[in-house]
Amino acid sequence: MQNALHLSDEEFKLISGLVYDRFGINLGEHKRALVMARLHKVLHKGGFSNFKEYYEYVVRDTSGHALLTLIDRISTNHTFFFREQEHFDFFKEVALAQIVEALRKSGKSDLRIWCAGCASGEEPYTLAMILSNYFNDDFSDLDIGILATDISVTALNKAADGVYKADKLREVPSWYKQRYFIPLKDGHLAVKQEIKEIILFRRLNLVRNEYPFKGQFHTIFCRNVMIYFDNATRQALVERFHRYLAPDGYLIIGHSESIDRSLGYFKRVRPSIYQKT
Ligand SMILES: C[S@@+](CC[C@H](N)C(=O)[O-])C[C@H]1O[C@@H](n2cnc3c(N)ncnc32)[C@H](O)[C@@H]1O
């Protein structure tokens, strides 16, 4: 058992300040024990004798790798398939029909969805299965794509693998399980290639002024991500989401989250579901 290193007030300030500056994540005093526990192994592995030494190393590292490891350890990637099911019901029963009608009217064929903060992939895979099922596996007159982004490389690697423990699929309807997963010998389940092909996984820090996208999205899912940000970061993000959403596009956030509608960017359609105005 390694000796626990003490995280002083000054060190906690330095590390939480860096995480806030670079990623918008607000680590309040109540997160001190979490920071200590999550960075403990990194410090021991790197042979650092205290948190200040580690902080200085991260700031000096021009390759950006140290910062990546830091955010990988700090970010909370909890997620599961069909999480907050009402959002997927709304998407399937209301949003999709509207999007497809608008596309057909305008003679366009690109249907674009963005999962911002996709963690280990359960959310975009749920959406891809819903889309595949909705179109009866026939995407012939539409070009459908889901962009799934996150800051954590570890989470994104897991997402791109698309292999999950059986108990992770608790909420997946059995019909979907049979149709879209391959059981592996070790008891895990692998997402089928045809579903994987709908999704593009990319690393993206949501806390930046511009995103490298050419077009707009018909729906943006950003669920259980903004809870980690403070108000100013959240507002700036909502303003950017508005910019990157197609006219009448939907922004779907986590059940426990809300956005400031006084900004005038969105109207609330249902709890945690907003439409671009
Ligand atoms: C709790 S998970 C949410 C996963 C999924 N959206 C859901 O609702 O189940 C939050 C995710 O947000 C990501 N995240 C936190 N800060 C971020 C940032 N600045 N840029 C991009 N992703 C970020 C984390 O890495 C984590 O995977």
Side-chain angles (χ1 to χ4, degrees):
M1 177 77 188
Q2 299 146 334
N3 288 334
L5 290 167
H6 173 70
L7 176 65
S8 71
D9 286 357
E10 186 208 350
E11 289 168 332
F12 180 60
K13 244 190 210 157
L14 288 172
I15 292 176
S16 54
L18 180 66
V19 170
Y20 177 75
D21 280 353
R22 303 295 174 93
F23 308 108
I25 297 176
N26 204 8
L27 296 169
E29 182 55 38
H30 62 293
K31 293 281 168 82
R32 183 196 281 249
L34 178 138
V35 170
M36 227 161 115
R38 291 196 177 170
L39 293 180
H40 178 74
K41 249 197 198 157
V42 184
L43 260 77
H44 273 283
K45 212 172 149 201
F48 298 100
S49 47
N50 56 52
F51 282 91
K52 182 137 190 224
E53 214 177 85
Y54 169 67
Y55 165 82
E56 280 163 0
Y57 157 75
V58 175
V59 175
R60 269 199 321 270
D61 172 39
T62 47
S63 75
H65 289 309
L67 198 60
L68 275 188
T69 307
L70 170 67
I71 192 61
D72 245 44
R73 298 299 306 141
I74 293 294
S75 63
T76 298
N77 309 123
H78 176 69
T79 183
F80 50 92
F81 288 99
F82 287 88
R83 182 181 193 179
E84 302 180 3
Q85 164 111 33
E86 303 77 32
H87 292 153
F88 299 110
D89 292 343
F90 174 84
F91 180 67
K92 186 170 61 183
E93 288 155 18
V94 182
L96 262 178
Q98 291 174 6
I99 296 168
V100 171
E101 193 192 330
L103 279 173
R104 298 222 157 106
K105 265 192 192 151
S106 63
K108 291 183 185 154
S109 60
D110 284 353
L111 197 167
R112 291 284 173 264
I113 313 293
W114 178 18
C115 279
C118 66
S120 43
E122 289 85 335
E123 180 180 88
Y125 283 131
T126 301
L127 277 169
M129 291 188 282
I130 286 171
L131 283 162
S132 178
N133 189 38
Y134 184 89
F135 291 104
N136 220 352
D137 307 324
D138 175 16
F139 298 135
S140 45
D141 69 334
L142 286 176
D143 173 11
I144 297 181
I146 299 173
L147 173 71
T149 63
D150 202 278
I151 194 72
S152 162
V153 176
T154 308
L156 284 170
N157 286 342
K158 175 141 189 33
D161 273 356
V163 175
Y164 299 92
K165 283 189 184 156
D167 69 341
K168 274 282 212 165
L169 274 75
R170 274 187 308 269
E171 314 288 327
V172 180
S174 57
W175 187 85
Y176 275 62
K177 245 184 247 180
Q178 284 162 22
R179 175 72 191 84
Y180 298 117
F181 289 87
I182 303 166
L184 304 179
K185 283 198 187 111
D186 62 3
H188 287 60
L189 289 121
V191 178
K192 282 194 180 168
Q193 190 56 28
E194 69 202 63
I195 291 299
K196 289 175 115 177
E197 278 168 6
I198 301 173
I199 308 171
L200 185 68
F201 290 105
R202 284 283 178 273
R203 181 173 179 271
L204 180 86
N205 186 356
L206 288 169
V207 181
R208 51 190 272 181
N209 291 334
E210 294 288 330
Y211 301 133
F213 311 143
K214 283 189 221 102
Q216 290 176 314
F217 298 91
H218 297 101
T219 302
I220 298 176
F221 285 77
C222 184
R223 306 184 312 155
N224 308 300
V225 178
M226 288 193 278
I227 30 168
Y228 301 106
F229 300 158
D230 67 0
N231 261 340
T233 310
R234 233 177 272 158
Q235 282 193 9
L237 189 59
V238 166
E239 187 273 325
R240 282 195 292 279
F241 283 153
H242 183 266
R243 217 184 311 153
Y244 288 97
L245 261 179
D248 302 322
Y250 290 103
L251 170 63
I252 304 189
I253 63 176
H255 274 162
S256 61
E257 300 167 308
S258 61
I259 62 172
D260 183 353
R261 270 173 291 149
S262 67
L263 298 171
Y265 294 126
F266 291 97
K267 70 170 186 229
R268 182 172 166 277
V269 181
R270 291 190 188 176
S272 60
I273 301 180
Y274 297 83
Q275 187 169 28
K276 177 166 171 162
T277 49

